[in-house]
């Protein structure tokens, strides 16, 4: 199967899952996750109509950036853990950061975006499984409250929603409560009606569980393996 064929197949599965859930397929964005894959694969996806891309490492994407920067109508989002000392570089190469998980990082991104005079779209990443190994902010922590407040206050950030990666199990149904919880947290924040917060995006669901994520309200599924095939194992 080619990248174009895989994209077509996943778009059909996204549309079918949306219809099953009584949702419009247009309300669900498909992000192609290109970590470990090269510029040629990004371009192949682009040529097949894909415009939204995700990468999880600043250094890795910085190396591909020159080769894809002519794709000016494509969006490249940072979706992995971002260290504060790489915030400026991230703002330089990415069009959005979907993995903001601390006030300190939000402030660094805001300062970097201010120098470019652009507003950087961000998502706050939540750690819903309480896993030590995962990044993301705990939704019942003070840090989350402070981060919401910072996201609303910092002028060069445009706070668009929430992102999460549920604990990984073999069973997509096991992720369902986490997808649901993400939506409930979004709805609770939206109900507060803060004028500076219009969060709509729920970025969740990966190759093995995106259909369940769509049933539970995801507005952006992030797919790597289902589009590009298995990633080479890390050395
Ligand atoms: C790698 C990655 C994905 C895609 O994972 P697949 O299982 O290959 O679809 C999605 N989100 C994040 C944050 C990732 O790092």
């Amino acid at each position: 199967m080619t990248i174009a064929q895989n994209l077509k197949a996943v778009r059909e599965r996204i549309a079918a899952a949306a219809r099953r859930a009584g949702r419009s397929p247009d309300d669900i964005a498909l992000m192609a996750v290109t970590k470990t894959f090269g510029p040629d694969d990004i371009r192949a996806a682009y040529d097949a109509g894909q415009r939204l891309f995700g990468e999880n490492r600043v250094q890795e994407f910085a190396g591909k950036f020159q080769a894809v920067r002519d794709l000016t109508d494509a969006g490249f989002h940072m979706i992995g853990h971002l260290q504060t000392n790489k915030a400026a570089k991230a703002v330089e190469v990415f069009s959005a950061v979907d993995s903001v998980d601390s006030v300190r990082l939000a402030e660094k991104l805001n300062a970097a975006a201010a120098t470019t005079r652009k507003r950087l779209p961000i998502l706050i990443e939540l750690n819903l499984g309480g896993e030590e190994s995962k990044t993301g902010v705990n939704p019942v922590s003070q840090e989350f409250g402070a981060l919401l407040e910072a996201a609303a206050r910092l002028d060069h950030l445009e706070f668009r929603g929430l992102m999460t990666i549920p604990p990984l199990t073999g069973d997509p149904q096991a992720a369902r409560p986490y997808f649901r919880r993400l939506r409930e947290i979004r709805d609770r924040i939206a109900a507060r009606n803060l004028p500076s917060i219009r969060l709509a995006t729920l970025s969740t669901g990966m190759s093995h569980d995106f259909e369940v994520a769509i049933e539970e309200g995801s507005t952006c599924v992030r797919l790597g393996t289902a589009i590009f095939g298995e990633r080479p194992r890390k050395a």
Side-chain angles (χ1 to χ4, degrees):
M1 291 275 273
T2 65
I3 289 170
Q5 287 169 327
N6 288 341
L7 272 169
K8 184 164 181 287
V10 295
R11 286 191 196 114
E12 281 165 9
R13 285 172 63 189
I14 289 168
R19 278 188 231 102
R20 275 201 306 277
R23 304 180 59 200
S24 165
D26 295 341
D27 292 341
I28 297 136
L30 167 60
M31 175 183 283
V33 179
T34 51
K35 64 187 183 205
T36 77
F37 294 97
D40 290 351
D41 291 322
I42 297 177
R43 217 166 262 283
Y46 181 90
D47 289 340
Q50 183 64 28
R51 292 294 180 271
L52 178 61
F53 296 89
E55 287 268 345
N56 71 337
R57 294 180 147 181
V58 178
Q59 280 321 109
E60 183 186 333
F61 182 61
K64 305 175 196 176
F65 180 61
Q66 285 306 333
V68 298
R69 70 183 305 174
D70 61 307
L71 309 179
T72 50
D73 63 341
F76 294 94
H77 290 210
M78 173 61 176
I79 59 172
H81 180 60
L82 181 55
Q83 291 166 286
T84 52
N85 64 2
K86 297 206 177 114
K89 187 71 188 174
V91 167
E92 195 184 311
V93 296
F94 288 107
S95 45
V97 175
D98 293 355
S99 47
V100 176
D101 63 357
S102 74
V103 174
R104 227 169 83 75
L105 177 59
E107 284 171 345
K108 292 272 187 202
L109 290 170
N110 185 66
T115 67
T116 66
R117 279 186 271 157
K118 70 176 177 188
R119 275 191 101 194
L120 181 75
I122 63 155
L123 303 180
I124 291 178
E125 182 182 356
L126 294 176
N127 180 344
L128 298 180
E131 295 168 291
E132 293 275 335
S133 59
K134 286 252 174 73
T135 55
V137 62
N138 176 343
V140 296
S141 65
Q142 284 189 358
E143 181 75 7
F144 181 47
L147 188 47
L148 285 173
E149 189 273 324
R153 163 175 54 87
L154 296 169
D155 276 349
H156 290 275
L157 302 184
E158 188 180 306
F159 178 37
R160 291 191 174 169
L162 306 173
M163 190 267 241
T164 200
I165 307 171
L168 198 61
T169 69
D171 176 13
Q173 293 299 337
R176 187 181 293 278
Y178 297 97
F179 298 140
R180 191 174 295 163
R181 178 124 186 266
L182 188 71
R183 167 164 48 88
E184 288 167 356
I185 293 169
R186 190 262 323 265
D187 292 347
R188 214 176 311 138
I189 299 165
R192 286 195 225 156
N193 230 339
L194 300 175
S196 46
I197 294 188
R198 279 184 25 246
L199 76 173
T201 303
L202 293 178
S203 172
T204 199
M206 313 202 313
S207 291
H208 64 288
D209 60 11
F210 69 92
E211 283 145 321
V212 178
I214 290 169
E215 288 168 17
E216 294 298 335
S218 173
T219 69
C220 179
V221 294
R222 307 180 308 264
L223 310 187
T225 314
I227 298 171
F228 300 102
E230 292 292 332
R231 283 179 290 275
R233 245 181 261 250
K234 269 193 220 140

